[in-house]
Amino acid sequence: ERWVTVDAGTLPNTNTSSAPPGTAAMERKSSSIKAVKGISIDARNAVGKSANVQAAVHQRVNEMNTNMAKAKQELRDRETKKAQDANDEDEVRKRLEPKIKKWGEEYGKKKQLRALLAGLHMILWKDSGWKQVTIGDIVDEKKARRCYLKATLKVHPDKTRELNAEKRFIAKRVFDSLSQAHTEFNAQSSM
């Protein structure tokens, strides 16, 4: 038999004092329904079957074991890569934190959006594609917004996934700083 039926009376009791009214009738109805539970396939299922069925069962069991081992290995590899990426990011953070702090803060206070955009060329990597802007270029509010949008396109986390750990870290921190400064910029311009 491929399926085993389990009496619903052996399932865990779901009676609670906070149950809505009328559930007692539903419980009586559900107690007459039997739950269906699948069984696993293993070599014991082939006992007493024809040679073809036994060979097919053994082949299927071997395929399942192979696929399971492959899936476990892939999971281990992903976990190892994730741990390695975390270690790489920690190393990069320790090394680059002062440089990013110098770019994003002045005397312990966060810089404004225009100052961050004007100094962005100093913090980004060489082949980032960022074109240097001056504060004079972004004095106008619309130009500052446009420049902010261009900058976020360069450092957005979705766009920097394939970069190495150092560039990803820089991009993540720059994106966070720009986003915070943009929020403050919007709050000040709406006043």
Side-chain angles (χ1 to χ4, degrees):
E1 226 184 318
R2 292 219 21 112
W3 301 100
V4 176
T5 56
V6 178
D7 186 15
T10 62
L11 294 175
N13 189 3
T14 58
N15 290 339
T16 62
S17 60
S18 63
T23 56
M26 289 173 37
E27 287 176 12
R28 273 183 266 137
K29 195 184 280 185
S30 69
S31 66
S32 63
I33 299 173
K34 296 189 179 221
V36 177
K37 178 178 134 186
I39 59 172
S40 64
I41 296 177
D42 60 9
R44 292 177 289 168
N45 294 355
V47 175
K49 308 286 187 191
S50 69
N52 288 340
V53 171
Q54 285 182 357
V57 167
H58 286 295
Q59 180 183 1
R60 178 65 181 141
V61 167
N62 290 339
E63 287 175 8
M64 287 173 39
N65 289 338
T66 302
N67 289 341
M68 190 168 33
K70 183 179 172 186
K72 285 180 181 178
Q73 187 58 44
E74 288 174 358
L75 180 63
R76 284 187 202 108
D77 292 345
R78 277 196 309 266
E79 292 296 323
T80 303
K81 185 181 182 324
K82 189 176 179 181
Q84 182 62 37
D85 287 347
N87 288 340
D88 290 348
E89 189 171 325
D90 279 346
E91 262 182 45
V92 169
R93 181 182 52 78
K94 288 175 187 172
R95 200 167 28 92
L96 293 177
E97 188 71 32
K99 182 180 177 183
I100 291 175
K101 223 174 197 171
K102 182 180 175 187
W103 168 78
E105 295 179 7
E106 193 168 40
Y107 303 113
K109 189 175 179 185
K110 299 210 182 275
K111 290 184 178 177
Q112 293 182 356
L113 180 65
R114 288 182 177 103
L116 292 176
L117 291 171
L120 193 57
H121 66 282
M122 294 184 294
I123 194 79
L124 290 182
W125 53 98
K126 298 255 188 261
D127 58 346
S128 67
W130 177 252
K131 189 177 102 180
Q132 181 179 353
V133 295
T134 63
I135 291 205
D137 296 337
I138 52 178
V139 168
D140 183 38
E141 192 173 310
K142 287 183 181 179
K143 288 182 181 179
R145 288 181 198 277
R146 189 176 306 126
C147 188
Y148 163 76
L149 292 174
K150 288 180 182 179
T152 55
L153 284 176
K154 298 291 182 192
V155 296
H156 195 278
D158 290 341
K159 303 278 185 180
T160 58
R161 255 187 221 148
E162 303 302 320
L163 298 176
N164 64 25
E166 182 175 331
K167 292 176 183 177
R168 265 195 331 263
F169 178 76
I170 291 172
K172 183 171 89 171
R173 294 299 298 266
V174 166
F175 182 79
D176 291 343
S177 295
L178 287 174
S179 297
Q180 289 173 1
H182 184 254
T183 303
E184 291 175 20
F185 180 76
N186 284 339
Q188 288 175 357
S189 64
S190 67
M191 288 183 180

